[in-house]
Amino acid sequence: MSHILSYPLLREFTQEVFVRMGCSLEHADKASEVLLSADLRGVDSHGVARLSGYVRLWEAGRINTRPDMHIVHETPSTAVVDGDGGLGLVVAPFAMEVALLKAETAGSGWVSVKNSNHFGIAGYHAMMALERDMIGMAMTNASPLVAPTFAKERMLGTNPIAVAIPAGEQPAFVADFATTTAANGKLEILQRKQQQAPYGWIQDKEGAPSADPHELRNGGALLPLGGDREHGSHKGYCLGAIVDIFSAVLSGANYGPWAPPFVSFLPLPPDPVGEGLGHFLGAMRVDAFRPAAEFKTHMDQWIGRFRSAEPVSGEQVLIPGDPERVMEQERREQGIPLLEPVLKDLQEVAVKFKLTLNI
Amino acid sequence: MSHILSYPLLREFTQEVFVRMGCSLEHADKASEVLLSADLRGVDSHGVARLSGYVRLWEAGRINTRPDMHIVHETPSTAVVDGDGGLGLVVAPFAMEVALLKAETAGSGWVSVKNSNHFGIAGYHAMMALERDMIGMAMTNASPLVAPTFAKERMLGTNPIAVAIPAGEQPAFVADFATTTAANGKLEILQRKQQQAPYGWIQDKEGAPSADPHELRNGGALLPLGGDREHGSHKGYCLGAIVDIFSAVLSGANYGPWAPPFVSFLPLPPDPVGEGLGHFLGAMRVDAFRPAAEFKTHMDQWIGRFRSAEPVSGEQVLIPGDPERVMEQERREQGIPLLEPVLKDLQEVAVKFKLTLNI
């Protein structure tokens, strides 16, 4: 059973929670916008369902709600940003703004971030570039849950990549995906429905194929995009590794198995190799390559041609970002459905901060 | 049965072929180096096995062996290069040099290329960055052989991505992979061995799963990394699309199904939307983010930790680039094995240009 809450109500509630955690009004506003962009776009695992997780990280002293975010090193087109232990929901937009400003003058801007926390959905940050006629990119490392090809051990996060590309008449191209076969949120759905997972999503603690969506609890791991060697899992492993290195080795954050866990009940890995989580954000001005109007006309043609590609019987060829855009329109109008356990979580957060959640 | 030819012999022969096609000595030298880097690294499908293909493209008037390669637009960190219809084997290193020079001054350099042809292996171009303590990236679009998720139609090439990252004591991290489950070269191997392909590599002309390695002849298509929707093929489709857009829409080359075919017996698609094939090349100075020595120490630690990840029984966890590096060492010393049909092809090329191929 699910309850439907309006976007403005959830936005106000979430903002107030961040304020009570000690965020400035400006940061709380941004954090709630970023967090809820996940719910609007249908990525339910990364939205308000995680609010209580952020609260617990803050209670454990792992989030600085008054961060002094700043550039520690820069060139005309690059920078490293220190997030000062702040919410990734606030640090990543700050860093993306640096990338966008650099792109204004240098044509492109690339920012690696250390000392941050989870940043919500990658797509939000990449899409910041669109209104300025720029291509945006965002990636982040995350809690180690993924085994490289041929490994038993969890070494990488689901390390998402988002790329947003502006068009003219057509809506923008927005790709946003984990570099695993399936994201952890998909396993949670199967757990709730008590269904098996397809082979290729997870392995057991010995590295053998498994269909048990609870396998991670037993020492199993998520699999890189591709699933197994025969189906190209080494390519998914490459992608996850590149995200990890760009986000954390370039910046000085914790990488690989040293990435701090999102759940506060797990201890931080001993002997850290850097500071906090890492992100990587990029922006390229379209007119740093060719006139923006010309580029957009061709993007429209690209999108139109792919959308009209001959479909497999009964299917429809989609452009990256299509399903999320439709979902956002629907949920802005009709509200955001929350599952019972998520609602219960939010009510506990409300009690903790002496707030009211009107449903 | 295979014949083993020494690297210097093959290099000299290939260079001479390019000279007879009309290339300058400098271009012929570079083109043969790039082409043979595929054979050295074990990517046999992209090396001398393709020499006769380049010759036939040239005979069909589709390659300009005296190109005036030049920058048509630029900012401090970006450029568009016009390859003037030259060999991609020569155009891509020229464009990568532009990216490297821009990175020297702006921290990073990003070059989109139009009016080019096939550029050999992406890894070669990305690796040009390594000796300058830079991260290199290379991608290219290619002949349409891949169906997007839910499509029957071939809309994208195997569109590879290469990323090369320098380390200190450890060998560099070099990822170089097609954004499909399996590259076309793997199907050719199965065809020769008369074996079936695993499901998830190809579909038939109706979009149904197929195991027939000859399926492309019958109107079938290669599948994006992931294989099917349940295993994340929409992510592979996103990757292939991003490569296509960065390589061709940014530069003004032909994109999607308009990309010109490698085989000269197929006609060029009517109503071109741009000029030739497109590439995208990038370089980031490591010390545009943090001191190079510090970065390399952490890359060494990253590589060491991942290489020692607990393996699945009987396996070994690899670092991207490991197998190719071992292969290159071996083949530089022991020579390059060529299959009978490839050797026959080379002998025909020798006859055509009145050259001798000593075996």
Side-chain angles (χ1 to χ4, degrees):
Chain A
M1 188 188 158
S2 71
H3 301 262
I4 293 179
L5 277 75
S6 80
Y7 173 70
L9 185 149
L10 266 177
R11 177 79 189 273
E12 200 191 324
F13 175 76
T14 307
Q15 182 176 323
E16 193 52 35
V17 169
F18 286 126
V19 167
R20 303 268 166 128
M21 280 165 60
C23 290
S24 69
L25 197 57
E26 190 197 340
H27 283 187
D29 181 49
K30 179 54 76 181
S32 66
E33 183 189 341
V34 176
L35 189 71
L36 283 173
S37 71
D39 297 285
L40 286 176
R41 293 176 69 77
V43 192
D44 297 353
S45 54
H46 284 56
V48 278
R50 286 210 175 165
L51 183 61
S52 65
Y54 286 101
V55 171
R56 283 191 293 270
L57 278 177
W58 168 71
E59 289 174 322
R62 295 190 195 169
I63 285 176
N64 174 8
T65 50
R66 292 284 170 166
D68 169 29
M69 303 176 286
H70 60 283
I71 294 174
V72 291
H73 186 72
E74 63 184 319
T75 72
S77 75
T78 68
V80 167
V81 160
D82 183 336
D84 196 23
L87 284 163
L89 304 168
V90 172
V91 174
F94 173 88
M96 187 64 186
E97 196 59 52
V98 173
L100 294 166
L101 281 172
K102 290 200 171 281
E104 290 288 355
T105 51
S108 73
W110 307 88
V111 178
S112 190
V113 181
K114 68 175 174 179
N115 208 357
S116 187
N117 281 285
H118 292 259
F119 75 6
I121 52 168
Y124 177 93
H125 312 294
M127 289 171 75
M128 284 173 65
L130 294 176
E131 63 190 24
R132 305 194 207 186
D133 283 357
M134 295 189 196
I135 292 173
M137 297 178 67
M139 34 188 105
T140 185
N141 72 349
S143 324
L145 294 174
V146 183
T149 305
F150 298 144
K152 284 183 191 176
E153 241 183 308
R154 300 173 186 172
M155 301 290 285
L156 290 166
T158 53
N159 296 7
I161 298 173
V163 177
I165 306 175
E169 308 282 310
Q170 295 276 5
F173 173 109
V174 182
D176 181 2
F177 54 92
T179 51
T180 47
T181 311
N184 204 18
K186 296 244 173 111
L187 286 188
E188 290 164 10
I189 293 169
L190 294 177
Q191 289 164 10
R192 281 196 293 271
K193 294 187 178 169
Q194 301 191 301
Q195 290 176 350
Q196 296 288 91
Y199 283 105
W201 289 24
I202 34 181
Q203 67 181 24
D204 69 15
K205 67 181 175 13
E206 297 305 323
S210 170
D212 179 359
H214 297 281
E215 201 65 84
L216 265 68
R217 276 191 214 152
N218 311 327
L222 290 171
L223 293 171
L225 178 59
D228 60 28
R229 179 64 178 77
E230 191 171 74
H231 294 88
S233 70
H234 54 299
K235 302 178 183 193
Y237 162 39
C238 283
L239 287 167
I242 292 162
V243 171
D244 193 41
I245 294 166
F246 282 17
S247 300
V249 184
L250 267 184
S251 65
N254 289 293
Y255 42 81
W258 287 280
F262 180 71
V263 288
S264 60
F265 60 82
L266 284 180
L268 291 173
D271 308 321
V273 292
E275 299 172 82
L277 269 189
H279 317 310
F280 187 76
L281 301 143
M284 295 191 286
R285 250 172 47 215
V286 160
D287 66 5
F289 294 90
R290 68 193 295 191
E294 206 177 282
F295 176 84
K296 289 180 179 181
T297 302
H298 281 284
M299 269 312 291
D300 283 350
Q301 181 157 357
W302 192 100
I303 291 170
R305 180 68 185 85
F306 275 72
R307 195 173 274 131
S308 66
E310 200 186 349
V312 171
S313 174
E315 298 286 1
Q316 193 190 345
V317 181
L318 301 175
I319 304 303
D322 276 353
E324 294 86 355
R325 194 183 60 256
V326 171
M327 181 66 86
E328 173 160 355
Q329 210 163 5
E330 191 182 299
R331 290 191 167 180
R332 275 192 189 275
E333 287 166 13
Q334 299 170 18
I336 294 167
L338 299 182
L339 292 172
E340 195 69 41
V342 173
L343 191 65
K344 194 165 153 276
D345 237 32
L346 291 183
Q347 281 164 331
E348 285 172 15
V349 169
V351 169
K352 187 172 284 177
F353 290 111
K354 301 189 171 57
L355 290 167
T356 314
L357 182 62
N358 294 309
I359 54 163
Chain B
M1 188 188 156
S2 69
H3 301 262
I4 294 179
L5 278 74
S6 78
Y7 173 70
L9 185 147
L10 267 176
R11 178 78 189 274
E12 200 191 324
F13 176 76
T14 307
Q15 182 177 323
E16 193 53 34
V17 170
F18 287 125
V19 167
R20 304 270 166 125
M21 280 165 61
C23 290
S24 69
L25 198 56
E26 190 197 340
H27 283 186
D29 180 48
K30 178 55 74 181
S32 67
E33 182 189 342
V34 176
L35 188 71
L36 282 174
S37 71
D39 297 284
L40 285 176
R41 293 175 69 76
V43 193
D44 297 352
S45 54
H46 284 55
V48 277
R50 286 210 176 165
L51 183 60
S52 64
Y54 286 100
V55 171
R56 282 190 293 268
L57 278 177
W58 167 72
E59 288 174 323
R62 295 189 195 168
I63 284 175
N64 174 7
T65 49
R66 291 285 171 165
D68 169 28
M69 305 177 284
H70 60 284
I71 294 173
V72 290
H73 186 72
E74 62 184 320
T75 72
S77 74
T78 68
V80 166
V81 160
D82 182 335
D84 196 26
L87 284 163
L89 305 168
V90 171
V91 174
F94 173 88
M96 187 65 186
E97 196 60 52
V98 174
L100 294 166
L101 281 172
K102 293 205 170 272
E104 290 288 356
T105 52
S108 74
W110 306 89
V111 178
S112 191
V113 181
K114 66 175 175 180
N115 209 356
S116 186
N117 281 286
H118 292 258
F119 74 8
I121 52 167
Y124 177 92
H125 312 294
M127 289 172 75
M128 283 173 67
L130 293 176
E131 64 191 21
R132 306 195 207 186
D133 282 357
M134 295 190 196
I135 292 173
M137 298 177 67
M139 32 187 108
T140 186
N141 71 351
S143 325
L145 294 174
V146 183
T149 305
F150 298 145
K152 282 184 193 176
E153 239 183 309
R154 299 175 189 172
M155 300 290 284
L156 290 165
T158 53
N159 295 8
I161 298 174
V163 177
I165 306 176
E169 306 284 310
Q170 295 276 5
F173 173 111
V174 182
D176 181 4
F177 54 92
T179 53
T180 48
T181 310
N184 204 19
K186 295 245 174 112
L187 286 189
E188 291 166 9
I189 293 170
L190 293 177
Q191 289 164 11
R192 279 195 294 269
K193 293 186 178 170
Q194 301 192 300
Q195 290 176 351
Q196 296 288 90
Y199 283 106
W201 288 24
I202 34 182
Q203 66 182 23
D204 70 16
K205 68 180 176 6
E206 298 303 324
S210 169
D212 178 0
H214 298 281
E215 200 65 83
L216 265 69
R217 275 191 217 155
N218 311 325
L222 290 171
L223 293 170
L225 178 58
D228 59 30
R229 179 63 179 77
E230 191 170 75
H231 294 89
S233 69
H234 54 300
K235 303 178 183 195
Y237 162 38
C238 282
L239 287 166
I242 292 163
V243 171
D244 192 41
I245 294 166
F246 282 17
S247 300
V249 184
L250 267 184
S251 64
N254 290 294
Y255 42 81
W258 288 280
F262 180 72
V263 288
S264 60
F265 60 83
L266 283 179
L268 291 174
D271 308 320
V273 292
E275 298 172 82
L277 268 190
H279 317 309
F280 187 76
L281 301 144
M284 296 191 286
R285 247 172 49 215
V286 161
D287 66 3
F289 294 90
R290 69 192 295 191
E294 207 177 281
F295 176 84
K296 289 180 178 180
T297 301
H298 281 283
M299 269 311 292
D300 282 348
Q301 182 157 357
W302 192 100
I303 291 169
R305 181 67 187 85
F306 275 73
R307 194 173 275 135
S308 66
E310 201 186 347
V312 171
S313 174
E315 299 286 2
Q316 193 189 346
V317 181
L318 301 175
I319 304 302
D322 276 354
E324 295 85 355
R325 193 183 61 255
V326 172
M327 181 68 84
E328 173 159 355
Q329 209 163 4
E330 192 183 300
R331 289 189 168 180
R332 273 191 191 276
E333 287 167 14
Q334 298 170 20
I336 294 168
L338 299 181
L339 292 172
E340 194 68 43
V342 173
L343 191 65
K344 193 165 154 277
D345 236 33
L346 291 183
Q347 281 164 331
E348 283 171 18
V349 169
V351 170
K352 186 172 285 176
F353 290 111
K354 302 189 172 52
L355 289 168
T356 314
L357 182 62
N358 294 310
I359 53 165

